Amino acid sequence: DAKTTQPNSMESNEEEPVHLPCNHSTISGTDYIHWYRQLPSQGPEYVIHGLTSNVNNRMASLAIAEDRKSSTLILHRATLRDAAVYYCTNNNAGNMLTFGGGTRLMVKP
Amino acid sequence: DTAVSQTPKYLVTQMGNDKSIKCEQNLGHDTMYWYKQDSKKFLKIMFSYNNKELIINETVPNRFSPKSPDKAHLNLHINSLELGDSAVYFCASSLGRAGRQETQYFGPGTRLLVL
């Protein structure tokens, strides 16, 4: 049972920024927030993770709320190849990932 | 160079049969996992192995038996297949065992359909 909630779908125009929200109100103090994405007919792919501070990498940025009950994945310039289902999850001590339904991101040219 | 590979990619079989899915990783990772993704795209952990030792078994029916001949391989054998076993099964690996920062690398999945 997923401990995170995300919108079912979002749309974006190509080359525009996308903000994908996630609520994880039951997250424990030491769980990391991880984001993965899954392109059609492929396995999940790691995007980014963080604990308390905002994080940046070559794929995306992660903004974590001060109370850690929510986070936002930011794609700075969406491309057609970013169309995927994006999952946020909290990674517990056993390193077990559980994905909920995720957000299906559609990118329009 | 495929990091995590699974065979077969598709598996269609009859109820009651026994089948195996193989997974191999060439990343030098110590920990491997099996996940099941259902039709609603929910992904759940089934098993986790660290250096050939079982560390997580998430209330999976004992018809499912993982086997790790070495730390680069984690195979999944399923006995007496049932309709409800139809799903996509993903193998994954991570460098370490239980770190909360561990990134997992997933295989392409095995789509199992039980008729």
Side-chain angles (χ1 to χ4, degrees), chain A residues 37 39 59 75 77-86 105 107:
Chain A
R37 71 180 186 181
L39 278 65
M59 288 182 74
L75 306 179
R77 290 178 63 195
T79 69
L80 297 179
R81 288 178 296 178
D82 291 323
V85 179
Y86 287 78
L105 175 65
V107 181

Side-chain angles (χ1 to χ4, degrees), chain A residues 30-32 34 36 38 93 95, chain B residues 33 37 43 98 100-101 104:
Chain A
T30 51
D31 284 356
Y32 277 76
H34 287 243
Y36 284 74
Q38 189 170 17
N95 206 30
Chain B
Y33 311 81
Q37 188 171 43
L43 188 87
R100 297 170 194 268
Q101 296 195 60
Q104 295 189 23

